[in-house]
DNA sequence: CCAAATTATGATAACCATTATCATAATGCA
DNA sequence: TGCATTATGATAATGGTTATCATAATTTGG
């Protein structure tokens, strides 16, 4: 959280309870929640929090490079407190989104770069299928 | 186009001039257009075509497995007449979306599968950067 | 080829996640 | 502490997409 405070200050952004709370929710979950989910999660502790503030704060954090926005193909965005590019897994059964821990794709940009004349700068990789729970429950 | 006709018939879907025209536009471009773009492209030859018909037809073709929908992070979807999964390149300068022709990612699912207990079924891969034109024009 | 049944089209309204607006409140610097 | 600046909260507006429904086109069985 000190990280967030110093980052905000370094960008001349104000440190507010709302920003701390929203980042805190995102930082302490692996669920990759949507703005609406974060808003609901904060109802208990921050009942006066506005949904607009959640949206604006997520935008601020995104532009500050602290979080990333995920577009997995649903009707709303999801967010990840880890801004480093990494592949995600989307369960087509329960709609859970999780990080895919693998080093297989570490050099995927270099590999792709070697076969194209595009100048590749970043990538977004999503895998779709059944998570460990759903593949057995089926 | 015979392909489309027989496919529609095999699914008990009616063969209409609108469906043929929309697929024809998509099949004869590499631009991965949005519904709106397809609608505009058809204004000249099919001035009575409704935007709603474009949307409904794209949905029909998608569900029939003839085309795929792309979510590159813009405010609207794009479409690809090639339903086979393949990586796409998005130019952050001119917003062009193009197919990335590479065999580097052919076995990407198998590689990722070997390091996770998820049952992976498909993937979406997008690279972002500068296309060959924009990287020189800078 | 015709007529009934079914499905598609076109026009428009509704939807809903996200963004914009703006008055008020909170933050941070001098 | 006081002031300038930025953020918040409430709500309206936006815009891509979907739903609705009367009319039109397609298909099929005779």
């Amino acid at each position: 959280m000190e990280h967030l405070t110093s980052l905000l200050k370094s960008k001349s952004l104000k440190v507010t309870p709302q920003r701390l709370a929203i980042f805190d929710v995102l930082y302490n979950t692996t669920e990759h929640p949507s703005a609406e989910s974060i808003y609901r999660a904060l109802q208990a502790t921050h009942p006066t929090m506005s949904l607009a503030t959640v949206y604006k704060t997520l935008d601020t954090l995104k532009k500050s490079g602290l979080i990333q926005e995920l577009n997995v193909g649903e009707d709303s965005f999801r967010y990840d407190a880890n801004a480093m590019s990494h592949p995600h897994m989307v369960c087509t059964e329960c709609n859970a989104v999780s990080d895919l821990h693998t080093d297989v794709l570490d050099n995927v940009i270099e590999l792709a770069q070697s076969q194209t004349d595009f100048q590749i700068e970043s990538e977004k990789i999503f895998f779709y299928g059944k998570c460990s729970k759903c593949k057995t429950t089926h």
Side-chain angles (χ1 to χ4, degrees), chain A residues 30 32 68 70 80 82 84-91 96-106 123 125-132:
Chain A
T30 59
H32 304 82
Q68 68 172 303
L70 304 180
D80 190 331
N82 178 6
M84 287 276 294
S85 183
H86 59 281
H88 290 88
M89 168 75 208
V90 182
C91 181
V97 176
S98 43
D99 297 317
L100 191 62
H101 300 290
T102 172
D103 55 13
V104 165
L105 299 161
D106 283 356
E123 90 291 338
I125 300 180
F126 297 100
F127 290 97
Y128 297 83
K130 302 277 183 294
C131 71
S132 47

Side-chain angles (χ1 to χ4, degrees), chain A residues 10-60:
Chain A
S10 75
K11 301 214 175 209
S12 301
L13 295 168
K14 292 180 176 171
V15 181
T16 67
Q18 290 87 345
R19 285 174 175 169
L20 296 173
I22 289 164
F23 182 74
D24 188 60
V25 168
L26 195 54
Y27 191 77
N28 290 294
T29 180
T30 59
E31 288 190 5
H32 304 82
S34 64
E36 183 73 32
S37 296
I38 295 170
Y39 173 69
R40 284 198 304 269
L42 287 166
Q43 293 284 45
T45 54
H46 297 72
T48 63
M49 172 91 62
S50 167
L51 180 57
T53 298
V54 176
Y55 274 107
K56 279 181 279 200
T57 297
L58 290 171
D59 188 57
T60 300

Side-chain angles (χ1 to χ4, degrees), chain A residues 72 74 78 89-98 127-138:
Chain A
V72 305
E74 295 173 326
R78 286 169 174 260
M89 168 75 208
V90 182
C91 181
T92 54
E93 196 82 19
C94 67
N95 298 313
V97 176
S98 43
F127 290 97
Y128 297 83
K130 302 277 183 294
C131 71
S132 47
K133 284 179 193 164
C134 292
K135 83 174 172 186
T136 50
T137 320
H138 135 328

